[in-house]
C-alpha cells in the first residue's frame, strides 16, 4: 500500500455512513408524515360520517314530525358516550323547500379537531324518503 492511500478506506467508509444516516433520517421523516396525514384523513372522514348521520337523522325526524323547521338540534354520535365518534349539529331551514345543514365535529363541538358539513336541499313536507333517499 502506498503512503497516500492509507486513509482512503476510512474516508470512504465515513462518507458511506453519512449517506446511510441521511437515508435513514429521510425514511423516518417520511414515516412520521405518513402517520400524521393518515390520522388527519381518519378524523376528517369521521367528521364527514358524523355529519352524514346527522343529516339523515334530521330527514327522518323531520318527516316523522318529531323535529320542526327553523330549529337546531345537537346530538352525540353514537348516543353511548363510551363509543362516541363525534357530535353533530343540525339546522333545518325556516321555509319550504327546506334545507337541512348538518355539521359533524370530532371529537365534539367544544374541542373539534375536524369539522365537515353535509347539506340536503329541496326537501318538502311531501318528500317520500323511500323514493328520494338523497
Amino acid at each position: 500500500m502506498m503512503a497516500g492511500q492509507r486513509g482512503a478506506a476510512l474516508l470512504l467508509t465515513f462518507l458511506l455512513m453519512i449517506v446511510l444516516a441521511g437515508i435513514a433520517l429521510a425514511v423516518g421523516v417520511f414515516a412520521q408524515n405518513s402517520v400524521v396525514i393518515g390520522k388527519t384523513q381518519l378524523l376528517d372522514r369521521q367528521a364527514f360520517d358524523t355529519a352524514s348521520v346527522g343529516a339523515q337523522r334530521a330527514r327522518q325526524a323531520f318527516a316523522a314530525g318529531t323535529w320542526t323547521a327553523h330549529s337546531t338540534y345537537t346530538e352525540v354520535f353514537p348516543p353511548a358516550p363510551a363509543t362516541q365518534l363525534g357530535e353533530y349539529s343540525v339546522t333545518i331551514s325556516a321555509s319550504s323547500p327546506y334545507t337541512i345543514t348538518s355539521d359533524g365535529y370530532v371529537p365534539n363541538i367544544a374541542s373539534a379537531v375536524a369539522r365537515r358539513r353535509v347539506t340536503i336541499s329541496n326537501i318538502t313536507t311531501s318528500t317520500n324518503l323511500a323514493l328520494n333517499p338523497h
Side-chain angles (χ1 to χ4, degrees), residues 3-26:
Q5 294 179 345
R6 292 176 68 182
L10 181 61
L11 181 61
L12 201 57
T13 303
F14 180 71
L15 291 175
L16 181 62
M17 294 299 287
I18 289 176
V19 168
L20 289 175
I23 291 171
L25 180 64

Side-chain angles (χ1 to χ4, degrees), residues 37-102:
I37 289 169
K39 183 176 180 180
T40 301
Q41 289 174 341
L42 174 66
L43 292 172
D44 186 58
R45 183 61 193 196
Q46 248 180 278
F48 175 77
D49 289 344
T50 302
S52 296
V53 166
Q56 293 307 317
R57 165 91 168 95
R59 287 189 84 200
Q60 292 171 354
F62 185 62
T66 55
W67 287 9
T68 59
H70 196 57
S71 300
T72 300
Y73 301 90
T74 301
E75 292 183 344
V76 172
F77 173 71
T83 59
Q84 179 178 341
L85 296 176
E87 192 171 1
Y88 58 81
S89 177
V90 176
T91 303
I92 302 172
S93 66
S95 60
S96 183
Y98 300 99
T99 298
I100 295 173
T101 304
S102 178

